Amino acid sequence: MAKQDSKKIFFENLSGAGKAIAVLTSGGDAQGMNAAVRAVVRMGLYVGAKVYFIHEGYQGMVDGGDNIQEATWESVSSMLQVGGTVIGSARCKDFRTHEGRLKAAHNLVQRGITNLCVIGGDGSLTGANLFREEWSGLLTELVEQGLIEADAVQRYSALHIVGMVGSIDNDFCGTDMTIGTDSALHRIIEVVDAIMTTAQSHQRTFVLEVMGRHCGYLALVSALACGADWVLIPEMPPEDGWEEKMCQKLSATRSRGTRLNIIIVAEGAIDRHGKPISSSLVKDLVVKNLGFDTRVTILGHVQRGGTPSAFDRILASRMGVEAILALLETTANTPACVVSLCGNQSVRVPLMECVQTVKVQKAMDQKRFEDAVKLRGRPMCCCLYFLPQSNFNVAVLNVGAPAAGMNAAVRSAVRVGISEGHKMFAVSDGFEGFYKGQIKEIKWSDVGGWTGQGGSLLGTKRTLPAKHVDKIAEQMRKYNINALLVIGGFEAFLSLLELSAARGKFDEFCVPMVMVPATVSNNVPGSDLSIGADTALNAITATCDRIKQSASGTKRRVFIIETMGGYCGYLATVGGLAAGADAAYIYEEQFDIRDLQANVEHLTEKMKTSIQRGLVLRNENSNENYTTDFIYQLYSEEGRGVFDCRKNVLGHMQQGGAPSPFDRNFGTKISAKAMQWLSQKLVESYRRGRVFANSEDSCCLLGMRARALVFQPVVQLKEETDFVHRIPKEQWWLKLRPLMKILAKYKTSYDVSDSGQVEHVIHSRPKESDASVAM
């Protein structure tokens, strides 16, 4: 039993013995549903509950029989990387009737099931809540019909329901992100990136129609992620005369030398009078008014298919665990809740407060479109902002190692800065380029097409400014730089500390400065997330999927994978959770030969049953003696006769490639917020014809902290930093390590002290937070 203190509660104390839990997926399918099912089954079994699959959603619950089957640990193996839902989903007319719900209640009571995990959209969750409200009356009817014993009413008196939202549309109020949305964005962006090459070759305009009959989230965010010229969504119909404005915008883009145009249309897009705007209508407008060679691509169900992204696997796993925890804590008076994501934190919100689709549709029907956007919640609102005007010189540069999403952040900063009236300057090759004078003004058109580019188009170096502060100050004076935006990793953090310290000697550094974290290692203090980490996680996850698949049909095999990260074990841990690893070795959680031996023995026992493949991740600097080669040799020797081993060092492939949709949008939004902050600070610090800012709060890092994006003075973050190992002293993701171990069938302590009570939707969202999603 784990040691306890007043601040911690451990999962072992919340026993599920005697409980029967059923999990079903209902409505449309969404990538990541299988990860949620896997987490529910394994956490349910871990706490001693019986867990059942309900196949084919509510239809299976009504039909009963073999549709309701007891789940085992092995029955959810090898499903983490599978799209859709392996237990099936179906629309069910029968469940909408009283007779259908009566049959469903009978089938559940026969198996003693009084706890339901429902993974679906608002219709599925609303139906579950109605079922819960009718439960006692349904049991009474079953007794009257002689189908169950009278004492069953008392024994199974309450039905407990916890929901998880599986929907690619991200149309559920009360959560920042629904399971499947990120994967759908991956499919859209893959298509857009592929189309751009042929569009440039032939100077074409492409009109892409994406899903979203009633919600424009996919269209809006994919437009941000690919730098589209125009986007049409149902919640924000364009003003009358939009046809002419759109054509003027496309023509202006072409006149600047761009060889292609991208227009994103949600399938439910309408104008101000409620008339549908179809992709074919948009094509005809462009051809008629401009004569551009124009093509239409309708993505359709491609958006629902394919392997779930790393984000969706992690989100679904976290939600599945939280759902089990909620069921263990529920009482007869606890309202049905939905496990949701707020920023980077799991929360529970009352189910019926979340069902806002009817209100959104009503607002749209009444042409209250601004209200419709607000009802969609923070994820959509944060993509739309209005900017004040000012006029200063702002420099932007990248510092540290390249990270996918840096270019999206630079593009956002440049265009938001220009929109606010600033003159934007780009610095090549970080502070090395700064002191050498590699500075030039950067225009709106200069960053066209940057969003989907990997690496750093500005160039980036690890050079710190301390040795060259005099030359950098000279360049600041030469170009009259009034503010700095630094996008980078740990070196960027150190750089701002050095510039802040140099203010006493050089007035040129007494200007507002802000840093946006961008590094695959995710090791910057003051932020739960960094630009580039999600792309690296997807690279790790995709590689692990392929590696495991390579062993399909062979004898039992264990793969040892080395990840990047310096001394930070984020990639190894969270990548291990997304890929279904059996172990992940990191610097932050010290291990010795006894731990390695125990892991080998545990894996050997699993291999003797039905598990055919094992996966072990190791952070590159986890231990100077227990190297990847050492661990490979140890596993090979100790597993002899049971399994063989292979090893793989992923290396710099984790830094390369096109940025993921998450990194494109996170970079776009966090950089825009940083520019807005700089504009505000510039106005506040402008006195007597010059900018002068030397207070601590004028040199900040903008980071994700739990639920919100927060500006934090860099000097105040020094106490939170381990400068020797270049990591924060406390890291939120370490709480995910027990989760990874439990899902790999280890017995361990899981701290649930962060799990909150049910929160009301209207009070659960920080007003100033622009971060719609986080890991």
Side-chain angles (χ1 to χ4, degrees):
M1 182 63 67
K3 183 179 178 181
Q4 297 185 53
D5 58 43
S6 59
K7 295 182 181 179
K8 290 188 176 182
I9 306 170
F10 291 96
F11 209 98
E12 296 94 315
N13 302 318
L14 298 168
S15 174
K19 288 183 179 287
I21 300 170
V23 58
L24 70 148
T25 54
S26 177
D29 64 311
Q31 307 98 314
M33 279 183 165
N34 290 324
V37 171
R38 172 180 178 266
V40 167
V41 169
R42 292 195 167 177
M43 290 305 291
L45 294 174
Y46 178 80
V47 298
K50 275 189 175 184
V51 185
Y52 291 85
F53 292 133
I54 299 179
H55 293 272
E56 311 305 334
Y58 287 117
Q59 191 64 56
M61 192 189 297
V62 173
D63 295 341
D66 291 340
N67 288 305
I68 304 176
Q69 296 179 341
E70 189 170 351
T72 65
W73 193 276
E74 288 73 23
S75 62
V76 292
S77 296
S78 302
M79 66 189 294
L80 193 59
Q81 68 272 22
V82 179
T85 166
V86 298
I87 61 174
S89 181
R91 311 286 181 184
C92 181
K93 293 182 179 179
D94 292 338
F95 193 75
R96 296 178 182 176
T97 67
H98 183 79
E99 293 74 15
R101 292 192 291 275
L102 190 65
K103 289 180 182 178
H106 184 216
N107 289 326
L108 294 185
V109 170
Q110 283 182 315
R111 295 164 178 81
I113 298 170
T114 57
N115 299 276
L116 285 181
C117 281
V118 181
I119 308 168
D122 59 340
S124 302
L125 298 177
T126 303
N129 192 60
L130 175 62
F131 190 39
R132 172 183 175 273
E133 291 173 349
E134 292 182 346
W135 181 257
S136 59
L138 294 172
L139 294 194
T140 301
E141 284 188 55
L142 291 172
V143 171
E144 291 172 353
Q145 294 177 18
L147 295 174
I148 61 173
E149 299 294 329
D151 63 345
V153 176
Q154 184 64 32
R155 232 178 324 145
Y156 308 119
S157 59
L159 178 67
H160 307 296
I161 291 173
V162 172
M164 286 174 276
V165 190
S167 168
I168 68 167
D169 291 328
N170 203 34
D171 57 353
F172 197 83
C173 180
T175 185
D176 286 352
M177 204 69 160
T178 58
I179 297 169
T181 302
D182 187 72
S183 299
L185 286 170
H186 271 258
R187 301 294 91 78
I188 295 169
I189 296 306
E190 286 166 6
V191 172
V192 174
D193 286 350
I195 278 176
M196 278 185 168
T197 56
T198 186
Q200 286 176 328
S201 300
H202 297 278
Q203 297 193 60
R204 282 180 176 149
T205 295
F206 268 88
V207 182
L208 275 79
E209 182 180 302
V210 303
M211 284 186 167
R213 273 180 301 172
H214 305 294
C215 180
Y217 182 85
L218 287 179
L220 178 60
V221 177
S222 60
L224 279 174
C226 71
D229 297 279
W230 203 263
V231 61
L232 294 157
I233 62 174
E235 294 90 344
M236 291 192 66
E239 298 287 347
D240 291 343
W242 65 271
E243 299 93 338
E244 183 180 347
K245 291 179 182 177
M246 181 186 72
C247 290
Q248 288 174 351
K249 172 70 166 60
L250 299 179
S251 180
T253 303
R254 286 291 179 94
S255 66
R256 291 195 295 266
T258 302
R259 293 177 59 85
L260 80 158
N261 299 110
I262 300 292
I263 302 169
I264 308 287
V265 182
E267 61 179 325
I270 56 174
D271 64 17
R272 288 273 160 177
H273 308 287
K275 182 181 177 181
I277 301 175
S278 66
S279 52
S280 58
L281 171 65
V282 175
K283 174 198 170 184
D284 292 341
L285 279 170
V286 175
V287 172
K288 178 182 177 181
N289 295 338
L290 300 175
F292 291 171
D293 185 4
T294 307
R295 298 287 189 274
V296 172
T297 298
I298 300 175
L299 272 64
H301 283 75
V302 165
Q303 296 156 89
R304 290 192 182 277
T307 300
S309 66
F311 182 97
D312 273 329
R313 299 185 198 194
I314 297 160
L315 173 66
S317 297
R318 292 176 68 182
M319 284 187 168
V321 171
E322 188 69 23
I324 292 294
L325 180 60
L327 285 174
L328 295 182
E329 295 178 347
T330 193
T331 66
N333 298 321
T334 304
C337 72
V338 177
V339 177
S340 301
L341 183 73
C342 180
N344 189 35
Q345 198 165 37
S346 294
V347 297
R348 304 175 204 167
V349 290
L351 189 155
M352 294 315 295
E353 286 187 16
C354 295
V355 183
Q356 299 277 10
T357 302
V358 174
K359 293 182 180 179
V360 173
Q361 192 59 51
K362 185 177 180 181
M364 291 171 63
D365 291 342
Q366 295 175 352
K367 296 182 172 53
R368 293 183 292 108
F369 298 113
E370 289 185 8
D371 290 342
V373 172
K374 291 177 182 176
L375 285 168
R376 283 294 183 211
R378 187 172 70 176
M380 183 166 287
C381 289
C382 73
C383 295
L384 309 163
Y385 44 81
F386 300 94
L387 307 170
Q389 295 290 316
S390 53
N391 188 8
F392 295 97
N393 293 348
V394 181
V396 57
L397 66 158
N398 295 335
V399 177
M406 275 183 165
N407 297 320
V410 172
R411 171 185 176 273
S412 175
V414 169
R415 292 193 167 179
V416 170
I418 291 172
S419 297
E420 293 187 319
H422 303 313
K423 183 181 285 188
M424 299 298 297
F425 289 86
V427 182
S428 300
D429 297 332
F431 282 106
E432 184 174 316
F434 210 137
Y435 81 79
K436 291 180 178 178
Q438 296 172 205
I439 304 167
K440 66 177 182 178
E441 185 179 355
I442 188 166
K443 303 284 189 177
W444 185 283
S445 59
D446 294 336
V447 292
W450 280 35
T451 309
Q453 298 291 315
S456 168
L457 293 175
L458 282 184
T460 181
K461 295 286 183 70
R462 296 180 183 272
T463 306
L464 297 179
K467 293 181 180 179
H468 310 283
V469 287
D470 52 341
K471 294 180 180 178
I472 294 172
E474 182 182 332
Q475 297 296 336
M476 295 274 287
R477 187 165 55 253
K478 177 181 177 181
Y479 289 92
N480 190 28
I481 301 299
N482 306 124
L484 280 181
L485 171 59
V486 182
I487 302 167
F490 202 85
E491 289 85 0
F493 171 62
L494 294 176
S495 297
L496 282 200
L497 284 174
E498 292 179 358
L499 293 182
S500 178
R503 281 175 163 177
K505 189 174 180 181
F506 298 96
D507 282 353
E508 288 80 5
F509 300 126
C510 294
V511 297
M513 296 183 280
V514 65
M515 172 195 164
V516 170
T519 166
V520 301
S521 301
N522 199 34
N523 64 331
V524 178
S527 185
D528 292 353
L529 258 202
S530 298
I531 299 167
D534 184 73
T535 303
L537 283 175
N538 278 287
I540 293 168
T541 304
T543 304
C544 289
D545 286 350
R546 293 190 182 100
I547 286 173
K548 288 195 294 183
Q549 189 179 44
S550 72
S552 179
T554 67
K555 58 184 179 179
R556 296 182 177 94
R557 183 164 288 169
V558 174
F559 296 93
I560 315 295
I561 311 294
E562 182 183 299
T563 67
M564 295 178 79
Y567 286 96
C568 180
Y570 175 82
L571 290 180
T573 296
V574 183
L577 180 61
D582 296 278
Y585 301 116
I586 63 171
Y587 167 77
E588 293 90 342
E589 191 174 284
Q590 293 295 296
F591 58 96
D592 56 26
I593 193 67
R594 291 181 294 274
D595 298 311
L596 291 171
Q597 184 65 38
N599 293 152
V600 173
E601 292 172 357
H602 180 79
L603 201 48
T604 300
E605 287 301 312
K606 289 173 67 175
M607 287 286 184
K608 288 178 180 177
T609 57
S610 61
I611 306 299
Q612 298 295 315
R613 288 158 290 177
L615 183 65
V616 175
L617 272 63
R618 176 188 176 273
N619 168 246
E620 58 185 348
N621 288 342
S622 57
N623 189 292
E624 62 180 352
N625 295 313
Y626 301 131
T627 63
T628 300
D629 285 336
F630 179 91
I631 293 174
Y632 163 71
Q633 292 168 6
L634 175 68
Y635 272 73
S636 296
E637 180 64 28
E638 296 300 318
R640 185 174 296 176
V642 179
F643 59 81
D644 64 1
C645 283
R646 296 289 187 274
K647 65 177 178 178
N648 195 305
V649 178
L650 301 184
H652 283 77
M653 66 171 291
Q654 297 157 84
Q655 281 186 322
S660 68
F662 181 94
D663 279 329
R664 299 183 194 200
N665 290 301
F666 186 54
T668 297
K669 285 183 276 191
I670 194 172
S671 192
K673 190 172 179 69
M675 279 304 306
Q676 289 176 297
W677 180 87
L678 283 177
S679 294
Q680 180 184 342
K681 287 294 180 183
L682 283 166
V683 172
E684 291 175 358
S685 58
Y686 187 74
R687 296 289 185 276
R688 298 176 183 175
R690 61 167 293 190
V691 173
F692 188 84
N694 66 349
S695 60
E696 286 186 357
D697 65 357
S698 65
C699 183
C700 286
L701 180 147
L702 174 57
M704 167 70 77
R705 287 284 207 177
R707 302 191 186 194
L709 286 172
V710 181
F711 290 94
Q712 305 145 96
V714 291
V715 294
Q716 294 180 14
L717 293 173
K718 291 170 68 174
E719 295 300 317
E720 302 179 21
T721 307
D722 176 352
F723 287 95
V724 175
H725 298 100
R726 298 160 59 90
I727 56 175
K729 291 179 180 177
E730 293 188 12
Q731 302 183 86
W732 70 271
W733 52 265
L734 287 170
K735 293 182 179 180
L736 298 180
R737 286 187 62 77
L739 169 58
M740 184 193 70
K741 293 177 182 178
I742 289 169
L743 296 180
K745 215 172 183 178
Y746 285 91
K747 286 291 183 182
T748 187
S749 297
Y750 183 62
D751 180 9
V752 297
S753 56
D754 281 348
S755 297
Q757 301 301 311
V758 174
E759 300 182 8
H760 295 289
V761 175
I762 57 173
H763 298 304
S764 64
R765 298 293 182 266
K767 292 181 181 179
E768 298 301 321
S769 175
D770 284 358
S772 65
V773 287
M775 186 44 37

